[in-house]
Amino acid sequence: TQGLSNYLKKNFAGEAIRVAVAHDSRNNSRMFAERVADIFASNGFRVYLFDTLRPTPELSFAIRELKCHSGVVVTASHNPKEYNGYKAYWDDGAQVLAPHDTAIIDEVNKVKVADIKFHGNKELIQIIGEDVDKVYLEKVHTISIDPEVIKRQKDLSIVYTPLHGAGRALIPASLKLWGFENVHCVESQMVKDGNFPTVVSPNPENAEALTLAIKLAKEIDADIVMASDPDADRVGMACKNDKGEWVLINGNQTCLIFLYYIIKNRLATGKMQPGDFIVKTIVTTELIKAVADKNHVEMLDCYTGFKWIAREIRLREGKQQYIGGGEESYGFLAEDFVRDKDAVSACSLLAEICAWAKDQGKTLYDVLMGIYVEYGFSKETTVSVVKPGKSGAEEIKAMMDNFRANPPKEIGGSKVCVVKDYKTLKMTDAAGHVSDLHMPEPSNVLQYFTEDGTKISVRPSGTEPKIKFYIEVKGQMGCPKCYAGANADAEEKVKAVRASLGI
């Protein structure tokens, strides 16, 4: 925090610097957040500190709402209970990008303990809470596309769990404000607890984390299950399939359903404008591009991480309207007044999508099947190859070097027609023609596209000793009942792809 303070003083010299501070439910998060606030205040900054835990997206919102220069949230997101972390934000409400990210760390590395201003100026710390909640929830409510369908389906049966985290503070309140009157919270998981006692890991991407919510959903015959992670920026969901069995909706499907609904219903209600655009990350399903192209909506691709989606919003601010964007890791943002993924708005919009489906006698699962029939079927799988230790890091580097030096000619029996290397920012087609990739900076990612529509993305993890392979294979579905067959065919294709790549 002292290093960040020093950097802010350099960047905003002569200004009265303002910062916002928030935290989630993890052990010691409150203590760390208060210490962050103390150090900021001791450096002469005006500090807005939330009175208790809050969703990360509300911190992003507060930075812009309170005209702050920076912000910090103490959280380790969806990671296991042993962890905690520190997310730094800039004045646009987004996590810091270059050059600020490395420059802040340079300042941090210069700081000695004796340099840290620990105490003083308590009067500069202003406690905030319900005042910001009210404005934020009202803004979230403005993204509702079809309020009339909610009125007709206000009794939609919703099961929600915050997994002991910050979603408990705002998500049930947001659903109520939108008009949903039949919300059932998993009471044992509404308890704020950094030990996350009812789950192995508080990650809504994992089926295990939704066990209690699905149990409650079965008891009351609910329409939808939704879960947020400890800092309430990711949303996981489950619904009933055509056999009445509860199934999980994965991150790619989640993003696809959200953007399909936003596009189709903005068009249907006359809200779509010529400059409206959506964003996805390069490893997220290409079906989203198919939906955007067919409906004549601009779609942008960016690197993995919501700071890159926020960058696209910022670059177009005042010229075009962002209407939605997301990534395969269960993050979605339906609005531009927040600049990070937001489970508060995502849960509310998800409930509206379910209400819209139910209004037509359909389920969320039916909506997904309808997308597959209209736009083609795709199956996405992520394979992580773990290589621990120093030797592991060298193995991962060697794997990436080998893929660059000897790119595969075919994958899973289909010829590779396009190779994208985000480290060199070059794209090579089947004829050997090379063109530029227009990205903000190089990144150690490789992508292969084959003639049968398969997409492979390869990238080393930035935080763990692993290399990740994102596999997307395509197929066709003539009718919703053909899903099982299409899925089985896709699984065989995935096996062939893995064999080709040696994973």
Side-chain angles (χ1 to χ4, degrees):
T1 302
Q2 186 60 55
L4 177 54
S5 298
N6 294 345
Y7 186 71
L8 289 169
K9 288 174 186 176
K10 283 184 177 180
N11 268 265
F12 300 107
E15 295 186 45
I17 295 173
R18 297 180 299 280
V19 291
V21 180
H23 66 87
D24 68 1
S25 62
R26 289 178 181 271
N27 294 328
N28 299 315
S29 276
R30 182 67 191 177
M31 180 187 75
F32 291 141
E34 288 175 347
R35 184 48 43 93
V36 169
D38 286 343
I39 295 171
F40 275 144
S42 300
N43 279 272
F45 300 173
R46 163 67 67 185
V47 184
Y48 300 100
L49 173 64
F50 278 98
D51 54 3
T52 184
L53 81 171
R54 284 300 191 287
T56 286
E58 189 177 8
L59 182 276
S60 171
F61 172 78
I63 289 169
R64 303 182 72 218
E65 180 69 16
L66 300 171
K67 297 180 171 55
C68 294
H69 299 81
S70 180
V72 169
V73 59
V74 179
T75 176
S77 189
H78 57 297
N79 286 291
K81 65 183 180 182
E82 293 81 9
Y83 294 88
N84 214 327
Y86 186 106
K87 289 184 184 177
Y89 290 75
W90 205 241
D91 61 357
D92 62 344
Q95 290 187 55
V96 291
L97 280 170
H100 304 307
D101 50 4
T102 54
I104 290 167
I105 293 301
D106 289 343
E107 290 294 335
V108 169
N109 290 334
K110 292 176 193 173
V111 173
K112 298 178 176 63
V113 174
D115 302 329
I116 302 171
K117 298 176 175 67
F118 279 110
H119 303 293
N121 292 328
K122 290 280 189 185
E123 66 277 7
L124 287 176
I125 300 175
Q126 180 179 334
I127 302 298
I128 58 173
E130 289 183 7
D131 48 341
V132 178
D133 296 346
K134 185 174 184 294
V135 181
Y136 170 61
L137 288 177
E138 286 172 352
K139 289 284 281 184
V140 166
H141 193 202
T142 65
I143 68 170
S144 172
I145 298 172
D146 191 352
E148 292 304 313
V149 82
I150 297 171
K151 289 177 184 174
R152 291 193 294 272
Q153 300 294 339
K154 63 184 180 181
D155 289 327
L156 183 84
S157 184
I158 300 167
V159 168
Y160 166 69
T161 173
L163 301 179
H164 302 285
R168 67 195 281 274
L170 290 186
I171 290 175
S174 183
L175 290 167
K176 183 179 179 182
L177 183 63
W178 280 50
F180 293 103
E181 299 177 359
N182 194 13
V183 180
H184 304 264
C185 298
V186 180
E187 291 304 325
S188 62
Q189 295 178 331
M190 288 291 283
V191 178
K192 179 175 69 174
D193 193 333
N195 292 314
F196 310 113
T198 63
V199 292
V200 174
S201 183
N203 186 350
E205 297 178 40
N206 299 337
E208 177 273 329
L210 273 67
T211 300
L212 292 181
I214 291 174
K215 180 175 180 286
L216 175 59
K218 288 177 178 176
E219 290 170 2
I220 65 172
D221 192 27
D223 295 302
I224 183 71
V225 164
M226 52 181 79
S228 56
D229 64 342
D231 69 326
D233 60 357
R234 281 176 167 83
V235 58
M237 64 179 84
C239 66
K240 284 180 283 191
N241 66 12
D242 56 341
K243 299 179 183 67
E245 305 159 335
W246 283 91
V247 292
L248 299 180
I249 303 295
N250 68 38
N252 279 291
Q253 293 168 333
T254 298
C255 190
L256 174 63
I257 290 168
F258 275 129
L259 289 171
Y260 170 83
Y261 175 78
I262 289 169
I263 289 170
K264 297 296 278 189
N265 286 278
R266 282 180 72 87
L267 286 168
T269 57
K271 293 181 179 179
M272 189 72 83
Q273 299 299 313
D276 290 354
F277 70 98
I278 62 171
V279 190
K280 75 171 187 68
T281 63
I282 57 174
V283 298
T284 303
T285 177
E286 294 300 310
L287 274 188
I288 290 168
K289 180 164 173 53
V291 174
D293 288 351
K294 187 171 180 179
N295 292 283
H296 310 293
V297 175
E298 182 182 4
M299 190 213 76
L300 305 169
D301 258 323
C302 68
Y303 286 139
T304 302
F306 253 79
K307 60 187 179 181
W308 296 109
I309 292 178
R311 176 182 177 272
E312 298 296 345
I313 302 173
R314 186 180 71 244
L315 289 173
R316 289 159 182 77
E317 202 161 8
K319 295 173 281 189
Q320 290 180 262
Q321 180 64 42
Y322 168 87
I323 59 170
E327 56 187 1
E328 41 66 51
S329 56
Y330 293 70
F332 192 79
L333 177 65
E335 72 268 17
D336 68 350
F337 52 83
V338 169
R339 298 295 166 88
D340 209 342
K341 50 190 175 286
D342 184 355
V344 181
S345 61
C347 283
S348 303
L349 187 61
L350 171 60
E352 179 175 314
I353 296 171
C354 291
W356 169 75
K358 195 169 186 179
D359 212 43
Q360 305 169 69
K362 297 179 181 179
T363 65
L364 194 69
Y365 183 85
D366 293 332
V367 172
L368 179 61
M369 293 303 108
I371 296 171
Y372 285 151
V373 170
E374 183 175 357
Y375 295 94
F377 175 74
S378 79
K379 184 177 182 67
E380 304 83 19
T381 304
T382 302
V383 179
S384 295
V385 179
V386 180
K387 301 282 185 180
K390 186 174 185 293
S391 62
E394 290 166 356
E395 282 185 69
I396 289 172
K397 182 180 183 302
M399 288 174 76
M400 291 299 290
D401 289 345
N402 183 54
F403 276 121
R404 284 199 167 85
N406 304 291
K409 297 287 189 290
E410 69 165 33
I411 297 174
S414 182
K415 185 179 177 183
V416 174
C417 53
V418 174
V419 177
K420 294 182 180 181
D421 188 341
Y422 292 92
K423 193 171 185 178
T424 61
L425 295 178
K426 298 294 181 184
M427 177 171 70
T428 307
D429 66 17
H433 298 130
V434 179
S435 55
D436 292 330
L437 291 171
H438 299 288
M439 302 297 277
E441 62 183 47
S443 183
N444 192 15
V445 182
L446 286 165
Q447 283 190 316
Y448 306 106
F449 297 81
T450 71
E451 288 180 343
D452 69 357
T454 296
K455 179 179 80 172
I456 311 294
S457 308
V458 189
R459 62 182 279 265
S461 171
T463 56
E464 298 168 280
K466 63 175 67 168
I467 182 168
K468 298 177 86 169
F469 296 82
Y470 301 81
I471 301 168
E472 178 175 0
V473 299
K474 292 291 176 65
Q476 291 298 323
M477 267 176 52
C479 66
K481 291 182 180 177
C482 304
Y483 173 72
N487 196 48
D489 291 345
E491 285 178 357
E492 289 302 311
K493 196 181 284 190
V494 167
K495 286 178 186 175
V497 168
R498 293 186 65 168
S500 297
L501 296 171
I503 56 169

